[in-house]
């Protein structure tokens, strides 16, 4: 039996407890949390199915080992029968050979069935995993497109807001200019009135 290489696998609880640092221009927290909730639910289903598949594979391995043990027992029984029953050797050999052949046929059949079942289980898990990954990639692509759309809207808003500020600045400049002109006109009018007051009255 091949030695299993154990790797650290994310659990649904790991995804649920995952926290991201906030940034000034980060993603929408509610959208990310909602997406992670959906990923957690889907991943939990896949995680449970994977555990079930592993248990079934372990059971298949145990069955195969048991059938090999049966075959070994039958071989030892045949040898022991040959040594302890010389008079019945020919009949015993035929019977033992028949039992051995039958055991091998059954063991081969069970081995093939176990291998076919294991392959079918692995292929099913692969298809399910590929579908989950494809769905997750589609959702990520949608989020990226939405982010790009929001970025474009933000850029248009900044351009419009800058144009509004520039228009307000020009308006304020015009107001200041008009106010200065009014002050000049008022000063001129006051000076003219003072000159009139200084002129001698007509006789």
């Amino acid at each position: 039996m091949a030695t299993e290489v154990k790797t650290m696998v994310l659990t649904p609880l790991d995804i649920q407890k995952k926290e991201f640092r906030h940034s000034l221009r980060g993603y929408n927290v509610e959208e990310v949390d909602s997406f992670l909730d959906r990923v957690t639910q889907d991943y939990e289903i896949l995680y449970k199915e994977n555990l079930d598949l592993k248990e079934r594979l372990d059971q298949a391995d145990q069955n195969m080992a048991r059938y090999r043990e049966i075959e070994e027992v039958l071989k030892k029984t045949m040898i022991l029968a040959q040594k302890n029953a010389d008079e019945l050797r020919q009949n015993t050999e035929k019977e033992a050979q028949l039992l051995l052949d039958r055991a091998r046929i059954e063991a081969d059949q069970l081995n093939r069935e176990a291998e076919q079942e294991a392959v079918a289980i692995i292929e099913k898990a692969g298809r399910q995993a590929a579908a989950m990954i494809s769905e997750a990639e589609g959702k990520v692509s949608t989020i990226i497109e939405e982010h790009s759309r929001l970025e474009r809207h933000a850029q248009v808003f900044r351009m419009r807001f800058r144009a509004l500020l520039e228009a307000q600045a020009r308006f304020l400049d015009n107001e200041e200019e008009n106010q200065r002109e009014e002050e000049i006109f008022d000063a001129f009018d006051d000076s003219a009135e003072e000159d009139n007051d200084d002129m001698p009255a007509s006789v």
Side-chain angles (χ1 to χ4, degrees):
M1 182 184 298
T3 304
E4 295 182 358
V5 179
K6 296 184 177 180
T7 58
M8 297 299 294
V9 179
L10 282 176
T11 65
L13 185 60
D14 293 334
I15 299 175
Q16 189 175 19
K17 289 186 175 181
K18 177 63 178 176
E19 295 182 359
F20 298 91
R21 291 180 296 178
H22 296 281
S23 62
L24 184 60
R25 299 177 61 187
Y27 292 109
N28 183 284
V29 176
E30 293 181 358
E31 291 182 355
V32 172
D33 290 344
S34 177
F35 178 72
L36 286 178
D37 289 342
R38 178 64 188 277
V39 171
T40 300
Q41 294 175 0
D42 294 343
Y43 188 82
E44 185 175 6
I45 294 173
L46 183 60
Y47 186 80
K48 290 180 180 179
E49 290 179 351
N50 189 42
L51 290 179
D52 182 63
L53 294 177
K54 287 183 179 179
E55 291 178 359
R56 295 178 67 179
L57 285 174
D58 291 339
Q59 185 63 41
D61 290 338
Q62 292 176 7
N63 291 338
M64 291 173 64
R66 188 177 65 212
Y67 295 134
R68 291 192 182 98
E69 290 175 0
I70 292 173
E71 183 177 356
E72 291 297 324
V73 170
L74 291 174
K75 289 180 179 179
K76 292 178 181 179
T77 301
M78 183 185 67
I79 294 173
L80 182 61
Q82 288 175 348
K83 289 181 179 180
N84 296 332
D86 293 337
E87 294 178 357
L88 301 175
R89 183 177 60 185
Q90 293 180 351
N91 294 333
T92 301
E93 288 179 350
K94 293 179 180 180
E95 183 180 357
Q97 187 64 41
L98 180 62
L99 293 174
L100 179 60
D101 292 340
R102 184 180 301 170
R104 285 177 176 172
I105 292 172
E106 292 178 356
D108 291 340
Q109 179 64 28
L110 291 172
N111 185 31
R112 286 193 298 271
E113 291 177 356
E115 289 178 351
Q116 292 174 357
E117 183 178 0
V119 169
I121 291 171
I122 292 172
E123 289 178 350
K124 180 180 178 181
R127 290 192 298 270
Q128 291 176 343
M132 294 288 294
I133 292 172
S134 178
E135 183 180 358
E137 288 176 346
K139 292 179 179 178
V140 170
S141 178
T142 301
I143 291 174
I144 292 174
E145 291 177 358
E146 180 64 16
H147 180 265
S148 299
R149 185 182 67 82
L150 292 176
E151 283 288 339
R152 291 193 298 271
H153 286 182
Q155 185 176 4
V156 171
F157 174 79
R158 286 193 294 269
M159 292 174 61
R160 291 179 177 176
F161 188 71
R162 185 179 296 110
L164 177 62
L165 291 178
E166 291 175 353
Q168 289 294 326
R170 288 194 299 270
F171 175 77
L172 292 175
D173 290 341
N174 291 335
E175 285 291 318
E176 292 177 356
E177 184 66 26
N178 292 336
Q179 185 176 0
R180 285 196 297 270
E181 291 179 357
E182 290 178 359
E183 291 175 353
I184 292 172
F185 288 139
D186 290 342
F188 180 77
D189 291 341
D190 293 339
S191 176
E193 289 178 359
E194 290 177 358
D195 291 339
N196 292 334
D197 291 339
D198 291 339
M199 290 179 62
S202 298
V203 178

